[in-house]
Amino acid sequence: MFRFAIAALFGAISLTACAQQPAPTVAASAATPVADGPVEKHVRDALKELDPNLKPEYIGAAPFPGFREVLVSGQVLYVTDDGRYLLQGTPYDIEKKAQATSPGLLDYRRTLLATLPHSDRIVFAPPNAKYTVSVFTDIECGYCRKLHQDIAELNRNGIAVEYLAFPRMGLGSKDYTDMISVWCASDRKAALTAAKGGQPVPAKTCTNPVAMQYNLGQQLGINGTPAIFAADGSQLGGYLPPAQLKAALERIGTAGGSR
């Protein structure tokens, strides 16, 4: 598939995240329409040369001149306005000392994340949290377990963690069924903590959001866990120690709080 061809061509998984197994690409959300105009047409036409069936979910101005920021099967690409060159990577704003992301892409991510009900998340929050992060996680990944060991420290730093399910081995895997059992437990927080501690997961089933959250994570381009998103839609990467995560949130000014 195009998504995985692009990933193989341009980059590797973050060293602070556990890699996802290849999985089918899911349908894109129509929450944010693809921009239309002569420049965007150049970009669409260029991408069709790579794959005639390719349909970008989002096209908008890049955070630097001469490029359009494009979301294709969840992957962020940068295409020159004339449609000749394609780049994939994480641009860094030296002046702001942060990853460079356009307001349009941040809004797109916020819109997608907002479709996942708060009641379906497993939340570890302090009173009067200053920041809230949405974290796509699974129970097997070592970096996910390391992040969970930091929960108390994150809460002391005023950071609320809202977990979303992303079984990186894919739908139908043991990871997936175990995460359903966690989300179906009478005490989901205790079940998640136990599972991340390596304890056996008692089998349970119920109406659950695990597949929905996983599919939306695919749309966001997640290719490893943990995947941490700030309230403004910024993706902060994989595992970050509490002090670094707090510093990143302070830099982008994402005041959140428990909802």
Side-chain angles (χ1 to χ4, degrees):
M1 290 187 180
F2 182 84
R3 172 180 178 179
F4 300 106
I6 286 291
L9 181 61
F10 286 102
I13 302 299
S14 167
L15 294 180
T16 55
C18 301
Q20 178 203 356
Q21 294 296 307
T25 301
V26 296
S29 167
T32 303
V34 174
D36 195 18
V39 174
E40 287 72 25
K41 185 177 186 304
H42 284 315
V43 172
R44 282 197 299 273
D45 290 345
L47 292 174
K48 284 180 181 177
E49 289 186 21
L50 296 175
D51 183 343
N53 298 315
L54 192 61
K55 293 183 179 180
E57 297 102 59
Y58 168 83
I59 300 176
F64 39 83
F67 286 79
R68 283 296 180 269
E69 197 167 40
V70 184
L71 200 65
V72 179
S73 298
Q75 305 302 296
V76 180
L77 309 174
Y78 295 93
V79 181
T80 52
D81 289 345
D82 62 4
R84 180 172 178 179
Y85 297 104
L86 181 150
L87 303 173
Q88 185 185 45
T90 305
Y92 189 81
D93 188 324
I94 296 174
E95 181 179 324
K96 294 182 179 179
K97 295 182 173 57
Q99 292 182 6
T101 308
S102 71
L105 183 57
L106 293 179
D107 181 67
Y108 178 84
R109 288 173 176 167
R110 285 197 305 270
T111 300
L112 285 182
L113 286 167
T115 65
L116 298 176
H118 183 259
S119 59
D120 285 342
R121 306 177 184 213
I122 300 180
V123 180
F124 292 80
N128 304 313
K130 185 176 182 181
Y131 304 106
T132 298
V133 292
S134 298
V135 180
F136 286 84
T137 191
D138 73 5
I139 59 176
E140 297 291 339
C141 167
Y143 281 109
C144 294
R145 292 181 174 187
K146 187 172 178 62
L147 177 68
H148 196 66
Q149 291 170 359
D150 295 337
I151 284 291
E153 181 66 18
L154 291 169
N155 285 176
R156 281 193 292 270
N157 279 279
I159 301 170
V161 176
E162 298 189 347
Y163 280 123
L164 300 160
F166 194 83
R168 62 192 173 89
M169 301 307 290
L171 301 182
S173 65
K174 184 178 186 302
D175 192 22
Y176 169 68
T177 56
D178 281 348
M179 293 192 78
I180 288 176
S181 296
V182 166
W183 254 258
C184 290
S186 57
D187 186 338
R188 295 188 299 180
K189 291 172 67 174
L192 184 64
T193 298
K196 284 178 179 284
Q199 298 182 29
V201 180
K204 291 184 180 294
T205 187
C206 65
T207 301
N208 67 85
V210 173
M212 178 176 66
Q213 292 178 359
Y214 174 82
N215 287 338
L216 189 134
Q218 292 266 303
Q219 289 177 242
L220 287 168
I222 293 172
N223 53 19
T225 52
I228 305 172
F229 290 86
D232 75 334
S234 297
Q235 186 169 2
L236 302 180
Y239 171 78
L240 290 173
Q244 289 185 28
L245 180 54
K246 183 180 180 182
L249 292 168
E250 288 173 341
R251 279 196 300 271
I252 61 178
T254 53
S258 55
R259 289 173 291 180

PDB file of all heavy atoms in Angstrom, residues 54 78 81 86 103 155 179 198 245:
ATOM      1  N   LEU A  54      -4.876   7.449  -5.418  1.00  0.00           N
ATOM      2  CA  LEU A  54      -4.530   8.182  -4.201  1.00  0.00           C
ATOM      3  C   LEU A  54      -5.474   9.356  -3.974  1.00  0.00           C
ATOM      4  O   LEU A  54      -5.735  10.151  -4.874  1.00  0.00           O
ATOM      5  CB  LEU A  54      -3.099   8.695  -4.317  1.00  0.00           C
ATOM      6  CG  LEU A  54      -2.460   9.232  -3.057  1.00  0.00           C
ATOM      7  CD1 LEU A  54      -2.373   8.157  -1.995  1.00  0.00           C
ATOM      8  CD2 LEU A  54      -1.072   9.755  -3.372  1.00  0.00           C
ATOM      9  N   TYR A  78       5.187  16.607   2.405  1.00  0.00           N
ATOM     10  CA  TYR A  78       5.330  17.979   1.940  1.00  0.00           C
ATOM     11  C   TYR A  78       5.625  17.941   0.447  1.00  0.00           C
ATOM     12  O   TYR A  78       6.573  17.276   0.003  1.00  0.00           O
ATOM     13  CB  TYR A  78       6.436  18.702   2.709  1.00  0.00           C
ATOM     14  CG  TYR A  78       6.085  18.845   4.172  1.00  0.00           C
ATOM     15  CD1 TYR A  78       6.512  17.893   5.102  1.00  0.00           C
ATOM     16  CD2 TYR A  78       5.263  19.873   4.615  1.00  0.00           C
ATOM     17  CE1 TYR A  78       6.147  17.983   6.433  1.00  0.00           C
ATOM     18  CE2 TYR A  78       4.897  19.977   5.949  1.00  0.00           C
ATOM     19  CZ  TYR A  78       5.340  19.030   6.846  1.00  0.00           C
ATOM     20  OH  TYR A  78       4.963  19.118   8.160  1.00  0.00           O
ATOM     21  N   ASP A  81       4.864  23.482  -4.314  1.00  0.00           N
ATOM     22  CA  ASP A  81       3.668  24.077  -4.911  1.00  0.00           C
ATOM     23  C   ASP A  81       3.524  23.744  -6.391  1.00  0.00           C
ATOM     24  O   ASP A  81       2.406  23.745  -6.919  1.00  0.00           O
ATOM     25  CB  ASP A  81       3.686  25.600  -4.725  1.00  0.00           C
ATOM     26  CG  ASP A  81       3.457  26.009  -3.275  1.00  0.00           C
ATOM     27  OD1 ASP A  81       3.021  25.163  -2.483  1.00  0.00           O
ATOM     28  OD2 ASP A  81       3.710  27.191  -2.941  1.00  0.00           O
ATOM     29  N   LEU A  86       8.589  15.850  -3.538  1.00  0.00           N
ATOM     30  CA  LEU A  86       7.874  15.337  -2.374  1.00  0.00           C
ATOM     31  C   LEU A  86       8.893  15.029  -1.283  1.00  0.00           C
ATOM     32  O   LEU A  86       9.921  14.413  -1.539  1.00  0.00           O
ATOM     33  CB  LEU A  86       7.081  14.090  -2.748  1.00  0.00           C
ATOM     34  CG  LEU A  86       6.242  13.409  -1.653  1.00  0.00           C
ATOM     35  CD1 LEU A  86       5.030  12.724  -2.281  1.00  0.00           C
ATOM     36  CD2 LEU A  86       7.055  12.386  -0.870  1.00  0.00           C
ATOM     37  N   PRO A 103      -1.335  25.520  11.210  1.00  0.00           N
ATOM     38  CA  PRO A 103      -2.617  25.610  11.929  1.00  0.00           C
ATOM     39  C   PRO A 103      -3.686  24.710  11.317  1.00  0.00           C
ATOM     40  O   PRO A 103      -4.510  24.143  12.038  1.00  0.00           O
ATOM     41  CB  PRO A 103      -2.984  27.093  11.801  1.00  0.00           C
ATOM     42  CG  PRO A 103      -1.681  27.803  11.615  1.00  0.00           C
ATOM     43  CD  PRO A 103      -0.838  26.851  10.810  1.00  0.00           C
ATOM     44  N   ASN A 155       1.094  13.593  36.763  1.00  0.00           N
ATOM     45  CA  ASN A 155      -0.011  14.219  37.487  1.00  0.00           C
ATOM     46  C   ASN A 155       0.490  15.288  38.450  1.00  0.00           C
ATOM     47  O   ASN A 155      -0.118  16.361  38.576  1.00  0.00           O
ATOM     48  CB  ASN A 155      -0.822  13.170  38.244  1.00  0.00           C
ATOM     49  CG  ASN A 155      -1.715  12.326  37.354  1.00  0.00           C
ATOM     50  OD1 ASN A 155      -2.368  11.385  37.811  1.00  0.00           O
ATOM     51  ND2 ASN A 155      -1.769  12.620  36.056  1.00  0.00           N
ATOM     52  N   MET A 179      -6.775  -5.771  24.967  1.00  0.00           N
ATOM     53  CA  MET A 179      -7.152  -4.377  25.208  1.00  0.00           C
ATOM     54  C   MET A 179      -8.665  -4.220  25.304  1.00  0.00           C
ATOM     55  O   MET A 179      -9.171  -3.384  26.061  1.00  0.00           O
ATOM     56  CB  MET A 179      -6.553  -3.473  24.134  1.00  0.00           C
ATOM     57  CG  MET A 179      -5.029  -3.423  24.220  1.00  0.00           C
ATOM     58  SD  MET A 179      -4.250  -2.137  23.227  1.00  0.00           S
ATOM     59  CE  MET A 179      -4.560  -0.697  24.256  1.00  0.00           C
ATOM     60  N   GLY A 198       2.468  -6.262  33.306  1.00  0.00           N
ATOM     61  CA  GLY A 198       2.784  -7.612  32.865  1.00  0.00           C
ATOM     62  C   GLY A 198       1.896  -8.693  33.430  1.00  0.00           C
ATOM     63  O   GLY A 198       2.168  -9.888  33.223  1.00  0.00           O
ATOM     64  N   LEU A 245       8.220  16.348  28.730  1.00  0.00           N
ATOM     65  CA  LEU A 245       6.845  16.491  28.266  1.00  0.00           C
ATOM     66  C   LEU A 245       6.244  17.799  28.772  1.00  0.00           C
ATOM     67  O   LEU A 245       5.589  18.532  28.015  1.00  0.00           O
ATOM     68  CB  LEU A 245       6.007  15.299  28.734  1.00  0.00           C
ATOM     69  CG  LEU A 245       4.526  15.306  28.325  1.00  0.00           C
ATOM     70  CD1 LEU A 245       4.366  15.462  26.823  1.00  0.00           C
ATOM     71  CD2 LEU A 245       3.838  14.033  28.806  1.00  0.00           C
TER      72      LEU A 245
END
